[in-house]
Amino acid sequence: MRGGHEVVLLMGPPGAGKGTQANLLAAERGLVQLSTGAMLRDHVKRGTELGARAKAIMDEGTLVPDDIIIGMVRAELDELEPIRVLLDGFPRTPVQAAALDELLDGYGAKVDAAIELVVDEAELVRRLVGRAEQEGRSDDNEETIRKRMQVYLEQTRPLLDYYGEQRKLVSVDGVGTAQEVFQRVVAALGEEAA
Ligand code: AMP
């Protein structure tokens, strides 16, 4: 937490509850929540050019190109002083993680903690199918879900080692009610800070 900055990442596979925990934690710690998935869905809703391009990629379950995502995050971070942010769904690739470090370095900030929500695959699929029925997200169908899991395992999961090696990784059991998981997240972050 240098110079009043605080940067926390929420990581985990699709369906792990990143969005819910990001909401709760951002409110608790006074952080601005930046969700790249929500930003992209907003572009789709507003019918922007980026939205049109992103929709096809999101519906397929693969990743939007790094340069687009990094540009989006940079524009948001540029508005913040100090940088007090909870990043949900970013970084998702090693290129994004390196770009984030470089961006933060430019502000005199750094990643303070990366929280991993741990949920087994059967539970993830069950949740995502439930979310598809409730929210009607067009990327919550079985084929896309399977693709998103695969993309997570191949491209994003290696980042856990990256943050683990820096002793920034905080792994939390993500099974339970939102409040139960949140209590664990807060407790784990407290230990980290101690
Ligand atoms: P999410 O809401 O985080 O599950 O993201 C939904 C979809 O948006 C993903 O499946 C990707 O297609 C895209 N997306 C979100 N964040 C990123 C990111 N950091 N890098 C690349 N694509 C992303």
Side-chain angles (χ1 to χ4, degrees), residues 87-155:
L87 293 167
D88 153 24
F90 175 89
R92 257 180 160 95
T93 65
V95 170
Q96 292 179 18
L100 176 63
D101 285 347
E102 204 181 311
L103 275 174
L104 292 176
D105 199 48
Y107 306 112
K110 61 174 173 46
V111 172
D112 293 289
I115 300 166
E116 174 198 12
L117 296 175
V118 181
V119 179
D120 68 69
E121 189 166 338
E123 169 72 9
L124 289 173
V125 173
R126 201 182 61 72
R127 287 186 188 181
L128 288 166
V129 170
R131 185 167 79 184
E133 284 162 8
Q134 278 175 14
E135 294 178 19
R137 253 178 69 165
S138 62
D139 60 349
D140 278 345
N141 61 75
E142 200 181 327
E143 197 186 331
T144 309
I145 290 170
R146 207 165 287 138
K147 184 69 194 170
R148 281 156 62 209
M149 286 301 174
Q150 185 196 340
V151 166
Y152 173 77
L153 291 175
E154 287 174 6
Q155 303 193 50

Side-chain angles (χ1 to χ4, degrees), residues 12 15 23 27 33 37 57 64 74 77 86 88 101 103-104 116 123 141 152-153 156 163 171 174 177 181 185 188-189:
N23 277 321
Q33 179 183 349
I57 298 170
V64 172
R74 177 189 293 123
L77 293 182
L86 187 88
D88 153 24
D101 285 347
L103 275 174
L104 292 176
E116 174 198 12
E123 169 72 9
N141 61 75
Y152 173 77
L153 291 175
T156 308
Y163 294 112
S171 296
T177 65
V181 176
V185 168
L189 273 181

